[in-house]
Amino acid sequence: VCVAGIIITTSKAALLAVFFLFTFYAIYRFHGRCGHRMRRVCGLTLKATLCLLFLYSVVPPIFAFVKPTALSDHLITDDLVVLAVTGSYVDRIENAWPIAYDLLSSPRQFASGRGIGGIGSPQLYFEADKYNSADNVWVYVLVDFGLIILIALAGYLLYQLYKSRLENHGTISLYILLLGLFIFGATGNFVESSALTISAGFMLGMWKREAKDVC
């Protein structure tokens, strides 16, 4: 029933999350019942999928910074389905994210960011004329905290993904955390969504607690 409701709303992020959650669960269950070689294949499959989802969340904002019209230049079609699926992405790449980058008024701010409240809901109270919804977690981090923190955060998450092993119980919590961050963070304001941040907090706590218990 919930999946049917999501389809009606055409929420692509929610549909992707449901699909990959079921896929991850099936692979995780299969991992516990197969031999050593297949276990490695299962682990590599999940890691590769998360890497692709990471690219899904980070590449469009890069296009928006380098060449905002890159997607629309290659997307000349009258197909209503294709336009419906890609329309929101094109709008973000060509309009929302470039405007967000314009908030960084100097090279120094690209390194350090504008500070907490520099983008998103706080702007409605203090600089409504510059308000930007920050519909991407990496754009949000860049504008608030700068490129240095952005690279450090992305590098830390990818390093934890690289060294993770499905044999460790806390790993599945890490994978679900990354799954939500990369899917919902690709086209939504992950940081200011209470439901997403509470869920991410639970996954982060379970991952760290179980990792500590193993040590």
Side-chain angles (χ1 to χ4, degrees), residues 11-210:
S11 174
K12 293 178 284 293
L15 289 173
L16 281 174
V18 169
F19 172 78
F20 281 108
L21 279 172
F22 276 114
T23 302
F24 273 41
Y25 176 74
I27 294 175
Y28 182 69
R29 291 299 299 268
F30 178 72
H31 168 271
R33 300 177 182 179
C34 60
H36 177 71
R37 182 172 296 180
M38 285 304 300
R39 288 185 179 185
R40 292 193 63 185
V41 173
C42 290
L44 289 173
T45 300
L46 294 184
K47 286 184 180 183
T49 302
L50 284 169
C51 285
L52 289 174
L53 290 174
F54 170 74
L55 294 176
Y56 161 74
S57 69
V58 76
V59 169
I62 293 176
F63 278 135
F65 183 80
V66 176
K67 186 180 180 183
T69 60
L71 184 59
S72 59
D73 287 346
H74 294 83
L75 196 67
I76 302 173
T77 178
D78 294 327
D79 192 318
L80 294 179
V81 175
V82 174
L83 292 174
V85 171
T86 61
S88 60
Y89 288 97
V90 172
D91 181 63
R92 287 180 174 91
I93 293 173
E94 294 186 354
N95 299 299
W97 295 333
I99 292 173
Y101 298 141
D102 289 340
L103 293 171
L104 300 169
S105 58
S106 68
R108 179 187 61 80
Q109 283 195 336
F110 271 95
S112 64
R114 304 184 77 212
I116 295 176
I119 193 170
S121 298
Q123 290 182 290
L124 293 173
Y125 301 95
F126 301 105
E127 48 180 9
D129 57 317
K130 296 182 180 180
Y131 171 72
N132 188 282
S133 58
D135 284 340
N136 181 278
V137 66
W138 307 116
V139 173
Y140 192 101
V141 173
L142 173 66
V143 176
D144 263 4
F145 304 107
L147 188 61
I148 296 174
I149 298 298
L150 172 63
I151 293 175
L153 175 61
Y156 173 76
L157 293 176
L158 291 176
Y159 172 71
Q160 293 298 328
L161 174 61
Y162 167 75
K163 74 171 191 176
S164 64
R165 297 291 181 270
L166 270 179
E167 290 75 15
N168 301 331
H169 293 297
T171 297
I172 196 63
S173 299
L174 169 64
Y175 285 5
I176 294 174
L177 170 63
L178 295 180
L179 189 72
L181 181 66
F182 296 159
I183 290 179
F184 288 104
T187 56
N189 193 331
F190 188 96
V191 178
E192 293 182 0
S193 170
S194 56
L196 291 175
T197 49
I198 288 174
S199 300
F202 274 113
M203 291 299 103
L204 180 62
M206 291 171 64
W207 168 43
K208 289 297 185 180
R209 184 192 66 183
E210 293 175 359

